[in-house]
Amino acid sequence: MEKLIRFGVSMEHSLLGQFDKLINKKGYTNRSEAIRDIVRDKLVEENIQTAIGEVYGALVYIYDHHKRELEKSLANLQHKHFHNIISTSHVHLDHDHCFEVILLKGKAGILKQIAEKLLSFK
Ligand code: NI
């Protein structure tokens, strides 16, 4: 195992209080372990965003199909990016709601743009 290096971190009292509550809820036994995981997550996220070559992803969401504009926006987005969409699964959950899973492949930056666009729909 690689050698651990100690370093000091300064933080507002209230922020540290919230952090302790969060890591306690997540089951961490100490702050160092939690900070290491957060740093690792951030690095993975950064690597994905700057990845060269193709990556794969999935978008999963539930929506109300009575909202015509929303349904139209979702269809337009998928047709616009058909090169990046491998498949779409649609399940009619109940009278109002639809559950969709879109599988994507392509450059990380493009997939991120598609995801952000989807999240921007009301
Ligand atoms: Ni449906």
Side-chain angles (χ1 to χ4, degrees):
M1 194 180 162
E2 209 176 324
K3 190 181 160 226
L4 296 174
I5 294 166
R6 290 180 70 96
F7 67 99
V9 177
S10 305
M11 202 181 282
E12 291 88 351
H13 189 259
S14 60
L15 187 60
L16 185 61
Q18 289 177 61
F19 181 63
D20 282 345
K21 252 191 224 159
L22 176 76
I23 66 175
N24 192 34
K25 202 171 88 185
K26 300 236 176 204
Y28 287 103
T29 52
N30 62 65
R31 289 173 181 156
S32 294
E33 200 189 317
I35 289 171
R36 282 196 293 272
D37 266 5
I38 290 167
V39 171
R40 281 189 204 105
D41 280 355
K42 203 70 206 167
L43 290 171
V44 167
E45 199 181 290
E46 183 62 25
N47 286 342
I48 288 170
Q49 284 184 30
T50 56
I52 307 163
E54 292 211 313
V55 297
Y56 290 83
L59 288 169
V60 181
Y61 51 90
I62 291 170
Y63 67 97
D64 182 343
H65 75 98
H66 295 299
K67 299 195 170 146
R68 290 283 164 214
E69 279 309 305
L70 177 62
E71 198 169 43
K72 217 169 102 186
S73 300
L74 288 167
N76 284 342
L77 181 70
Q78 293 189 39
H79 282 277
K80 185 180 171 196
H81 296 282
F82 72 93
H83 285 117
N84 298 104
I85 294 175
I86 305 164
S87 80
T88 304
S89 288
H90 184 108
V91 178
H92 309 300
L93 283 183
D94 56 31
H95 196 267
D96 304 315
H97 300 101
C98 301
F99 173 75
E100 267 186 6
V101 181
I102 306 180
L103 299 179
L104 308 125
K105 78 167 179 181
K107 294 228 164 70
I110 306 260
L111 300 200
K112 194 163 178 279
Q113 271 175 32
I114 297 171
E116 277 167 1
K117 185 74 192 164
L118 197 138
L119 283 171
S120 77
F121 295 154
K122 296 278 180 287

